[in-house]
Amino acid sequence: MEVFHASASESPLLGEDMVEGMVDYEGCRVTRFKSGGWRSASFIIGVEMAERFAYYGITSNLISYLTGPLRQSTAMAAANVNAWLGVSSMLPLLGAFVADAYLGRFRIILFSSLLYVLGLGMLTISAIFPSPSLLHCQNTKKNSSCTPQFQIVFFFASLYLVALAQGGHKPCVQAFGADQFDAQNPDECKSKSSFFNWWYFAINGSVFISLWILNYIQDNFNWILGFGIPCISIVAALVVFLLGRKTYRYSSKQDNSNPFVRIAQVFVAAARNWRTTPSTAAVAKEEEAREPLPRHGTYQFEFLDKALAMVSNDQYGSDENWKMCSISQVEEAKVVLSLVPIWATCLMYGVVFAQSSTFFIKQGLTMDRSITSGFEIPPASLQSLIGAAIIVFIPIYDRIIVPIARAYTGKPSGITMLQRIGTGMFLSLISMVVAAIVEKERLKVARDSGLVDMPQVTLPMSVWWLVPQYVLFGISDVFTMVGLQEFFYDQVPNGLRSMGLSLYLSIFGIGNFLSSFLISVIEKETSRGGQDSWFANNLNRAHLDWFYWLLSGLSVIELVLYLYFSKSYIYNRASAI
C-alpha cells in the first residue's frame, strides 16, 4: 500500500486510458501508455539483479570467511551461518508489514537500499582489519574464536544490518514490479504473469554470475574486493531505481485504515459475537453500499460471518469497528485465512529445497570433479547447475509451454497458479527419488572399490551423476518458486501484497529450520550405541540415501494434502486464472 494520494482535482482526460488505483510520483492519476509496463519493470528487475548479486556474494561463501579470516571453529561458523540465514528469511515479514501498513513499497525500497550500502560498506571495512595469526589461534580454546571481540562485534553488526536491509528490500521490490501491470487489462494481465517468469530468470542469471565471479575473487584475491564489489553493485542499483522514478505506477492509498488492523478486527469481532447471528438489516445495508466482493461464491470459514452481527452499543465499549465489521472486511479475512493451508502444505518443499546447498555438495565433494587434468569443479559451484537449468527452462516455459497451454485452457497464464505450484512439487519429489538412487550407487562404488574407510580418497565416480537431481531442482523451481511468488502476490488483499510475498519467502526460511530440526533428531536417534548415523562425517558410512527416501515419503504426503486443499481453493474474482 503506497502512501501516495491521488489529487481530488485531477480528472482523467477525455480519451485517455487511465489506470485505476494507481498514481504517479506526484500523486496524480496515470495513463496506461505513459507509465508502468515493461519499461518500468525493467528498471525494477535491474535493481533486484544487483541486490541478488550482492546478497549471494555474501551468503554463498560466508562460512569460508568465518573459518578463514575470522578464525572461527567449523561448529561455531556453521551455527552462525544458520542463524543468519534463518533471520534473513524471516525479516521480510517485518519489512512487508511496515511497507503495507505505513510507508509504502517505494519508500521501503529506497530506505532498504541505503541500509544495504551502509551494511556492505561496513563489511568491506571489517575485511581491512588484520586477521589473527595461526600461532595466536592455536593458543585459543578449540570452540571459540581467536579474533578480537571488537572485530567480531563490528562484523556481525554489519552482517545483520545487511539482513535487515534484505528484509525490507526483498518482499517490496517484486511486489512493486508487479504493480506496474494492471491485472484488469487483458494484455497487461498476460504481461504480469510473464513478469514473474522473467523476474526469476533475471535474478538466477545474477546469482549464477555471483557464484562464479565473487566466490573466485574471495577465494583467490581478497575479501576487501569480495565485499566491496557487492557494495558498489547496490549503489548502482539505487541509481537505476531512482532513474525510473517518474515512470513508476504507485498504489494510491484510497483507504487510510491499516490493512492488518482491518483483518484483526474481523477475528476479534467474530470472537465477541460468537453467540449472536448476523443482522439481516446490517448485511443488506452493507451489500447495497459495498464494492464487488474480492472473492466469489465462497462459503468457507462461515464462523467469521459472526463479525457481521449487530450487538448492543454498550456491550463492548465505544469502538464499533471491533464489534461489527463490513462484509468486505470479512471477505478479506477469509482470503487471508484460505492461504494458510496452501502455505502449510508447501513447507515440505522448503525442506527439500534446503538439501541442494548442504548434502548435495557433500556428495559432490567425494566424487571425481575433474574437467581437465588441472581443473576441478568447486563443490559449492555445483549449485549453479540449478540456476543454469532455470535460465534455460524459463524461456521454454514462457514462450512455448504457456502459449500451447493457453490455446487449450483459454487462461492467460496457460495453467492456474496452483497447478503450476503442484507440478513443481511433484518434480521436487522426483528429484529426491533420483538423489536417493544416485546416493545408493555412490555407496556401492565406495564398497566395491574398498574405499569405505578412506573418505579422503576420491571415488571413481563422476560428479556428473549429480546433474539430474540438480536439473530437476531447477525445473521444479520454475514451476513452484515462480508459482508461489505469483500466487501470494495475487491472492492477498491489495493492501497486503508485500506481506504476501514475504509469506512465500517464509516457506523457505521455516523449511531451513525444519530441515535442521529433522537432521538433529535423526542424527541423535541413528547414532545411539556408537553406530554410524545417517549423517556420519565419513559419508561412505552414512546413509544419505535413507534420508532422501524419507524426504520422498514426506513429499508424497505433502503433495496429497496440497491437492486436497488446492482442489477446494477459490481464487480471487479479479484473478481467477
Side-chain angles (χ1 to χ4, degrees):
M1 181 185 295
E2 298 298 323
V3 292
F4 295 86
H5 298 262
S7 173
S9 63
E10 292 293 331
S11 60
L13 297 176
L14 187 63
E16 287 191 299
D17 189 3
M18 311 302 291
V19 182
E20 291 298 324
M22 291 291 173
V23 296
D24 63 15
Y25 71 104
E26 293 179 332
C28 302
R29 295 187 65 184
V30 295
T31 58
R32 188 174 310 282
F33 301 107
K34 294 182 180 180
S35 67
W38 282 110
R39 176 181 56 175
S40 298
S42 298
F43 284 107
I44 299 169
I45 289 174
V47 169
E48 183 67 2
M49 288 180 67
E51 188 274 336
R52 290 291 90 184
F53 176 83
Y55 180 76
Y56 276 90
I58 305 301
T59 303
S60 61
N61 217 17
L62 181 58
I63 195 167
S64 298
Y65 185 79
L66 295 179
T67 56
L70 287 193
R71 305 296 187 191
Q72 290 191 340
S73 66
T74 301
M76 178 181 286
N80 284 327
V81 171
N82 288 334
W84 185 72
L85 288 174
V87 170
S88 297
S89 298
M90 303 308 293
L91 278 174
L93 291 170
L94 174 62
F97 171 78
V98 176
D100 286 340
Y102 300 107
L103 297 181
R105 288 186 267 277
F106 179 84
R107 288 179 177 149
I108 287 294
I109 295 168
L110 186 61
F111 180 67
S112 297
S113 297
L114 294 173
L115 275 183
Y116 238 128
V117 173
L118 177 61
L120 290 172
M122 291 171 61
L123 277 179
T124 305
I125 293 172
S126 72
I128 298 175
F129 297 147
S131 300
S133 65
L134 287 174
L135 180 62
H136 171 69
C137 291
Q138 289 171 355
N139 297 324
T140 307
K141 291 182 179 180
K142 181 179 179 180
N143 292 322
S144 63
S145 173
C146 58
T147 305
Q149 190 65 25
F150 171 77
Q151 190 172 345
I152 291 287
V153 171
F154 187 82
F155 173 79
F156 279 103
S158 309
L159 193 64
Y160 277 91
L161 193 60
V162 170
L164 180 62
Q166 190 263 168
H169 201 278
K170 184 62 178 172
C172 295
V173 175
Q174 189 172 11
F176 191 60
D179 286 345
Q180 307 309 308
F181 301 94
D182 181 9
Q184 306 302 318
N185 178 274
D187 291 333
E188 290 198 22
C189 184
K190 293 179 182 179
S191 296
K192 186 175 185 178
S193 181
S194 185
F195 164 78
F196 286 96
N197 293 328
W198 291 107
W199 172 275
Y200 203 55
F201 174 88
I203 65 174
N204 273 279
S206 181
V207 171
F208 185 87
I209 295 171
S210 180
L211 286 172
W212 284 96
I213 294 179
L214 280 183
N215 286 357
Y216 182 83
I217 290 172
Q218 291 164 351
D219 290 342
N220 296 280
F221 290 93
N222 60 66
W223 287 92
I224 300 174
L225 277 176
F227 291 149
I229 293 175
C231 183
I232 295 171
S233 74
I234 293 296
V235 172
L238 180 57
V239 173
V240 170
F241 182 65
L242 292 176
L243 285 175
R245 177 170 173 260
K246 294 184 178 181
T247 74
Y248 299 145
R249 295 174 184 172
Y250 305 87
S251 297
S252 60
K253 191 174 183 181
Q254 299 171 343
D255 183 357
N256 291 324
S257 62
N258 186 313
F260 296 93
V261 173
R262 283 171 55 84
I263 291 173
Q265 286 171 344
V266 174
F267 289 95
V268 173
R272 284 177 163 182
N273 303 335
W274 187 254
R275 295 186 179 182
T276 63
T277 57
S279 166
T280 304
V283 171
K285 182 178 180 181
E286 174 62 24
E287 285 184 338
E288 291 177 1
R290 65 184 173 87
E291 296 179 354
L293 287 176
R295 293 167 67 80
H296 64 288
T298 176
Y299 298 100
Q300 298 173 316
F301 314 117
E302 291 185 352
F303 65 91
L304 290 179
D305 292 338
K306 297 287 185 178
L308 298 170
M310 180 72 74
V311 295
S312 61
N313 290 335
D314 58 352
Q315 187 172 354
Y316 298 113
S318 60
D319 193 347
E320 293 289 338
N321 291 331
W322 294 93
K323 293 187 298 181
M324 188 179 73
C325 301
S326 66
I327 288 182
S328 59
Q329 274 184 274
V330 174
E331 291 297 327
E332 285 180 355
K334 288 183 178 183
V335 168
V336 172
L337 194 58
S338 69
L339 297 176
V340 174
I342 303 298
W343 178 88
T345 52
C346 289
L347 290 177
M348 194 60 211
Y349 182 84
V351 175
V352 171
F353 182 82
Q355 311 315 313
S356 63
S357 59
T358 53
F359 292 126
F360 281 17
I361 294 175
K362 291 202 65 166
Q363 284 178 282
L365 191 61
T366 68
M367 303 167 76
D368 182 9
R369 293 175 284 114
S370 59
I371 295 181
T372 64
S373 58
F375 179 75
E376 286 189 340
I377 301 174
S381 294
L382 291 171
Q383 298 172 80
S384 63
L385 292 172
I386 297 176
I390 292 170
I391 292 170
V392 170
F393 189 71
I394 280 184
I396 296 173
Y397 179 84
D398 192 75
R399 298 302 181 188
I400 299 176
I401 297 178
V402 169
I404 292 174
R406 187 184 294 149
Y408 283 96
T409 65
K411 300 180 184 297
S413 59
I415 58 176
T416 67
M417 290 175 279
L418 290 177
Q419 288 172 343
R420 181 173 186 171
I421 294 169
T423 301
M425 291 168 65
F426 175 75
L427 290 174
S428 74
L429 162 62
I430 299 301
S431 73
M432 280 291 96
V433 172
V434 171
I437 294 172
V438 171
E439 176 61 10
K440 183 178 179 180
E441 179 65 21
R442 193 192 67 82
L443 292 174
K444 182 177 181 297
V445 170
R447 289 192 300 271
D448 294 345
S449 303
L451 299 175
V452 171
D453 293 315
M454 291 184 282
Q456 72 281 1
V457 177
T458 300
L459 298 179
M461 181 179 182
S462 174
V463 75
W464 300 119
W465 276 76
L466 299 179
V467 170
Q469 63 200 60
Y470 274 110
V471 170
L472 281 169
F473 253 63
I475 297 175
S476 72
D477 277 0
V478 172
F479 285 95
T480 297
M481 190 82 76
V482 181
L484 285 171
Q485 292 172 10
E486 186 175 4
F487 178 78
F488 280 101
Y489 171 86
D490 193 84
Q491 295 299 296
V492 296
N494 290 341
L496 294 175
R497 283 178 166 170
S498 295
M499 180 58 70
L501 287 174
S502 70
L503 285 174
Y504 133 74
L505 292 169
S506 70
I507 289 173
F508 300 95
I510 294 178
N512 273 293
F513 288 132
L514 289 175
S515 177
S516 297
F517 173 75
L518 190 61
I519 291 169
S520 297
V521 172
I522 293 174
E523 171 74 15
K524 181 179 179 180
E525 293 299 320
T526 59
S527 61
R528 292 181 182 274
Q531 60 183 352
D532 292 317
S533 75
W534 288 11
F535 314 112
N537 289 333
N538 179 358
L539 210 62
N540 297 335
R541 287 197 170 276
H543 278 289
L544 286 182
D545 55 335
W546 293 354
F547 180 60
Y548 292 154
W549 283 120
L550 174 63
L551 294 183
S552 300
L554 293 175
S555 295
V556 170
I557 297 173
E558 172 204 44
L559 186 57
V560 171
L561 291 173
Y562 173 83
L563 293 174
Y564 172 80
F565 287 111
S566 62
K567 185 178 180 180
S568 60
Y569 184 82
I570 302 172
Y571 286 96
N572 288 349
R573 176 183 297 174
S575 52
I577 59 175

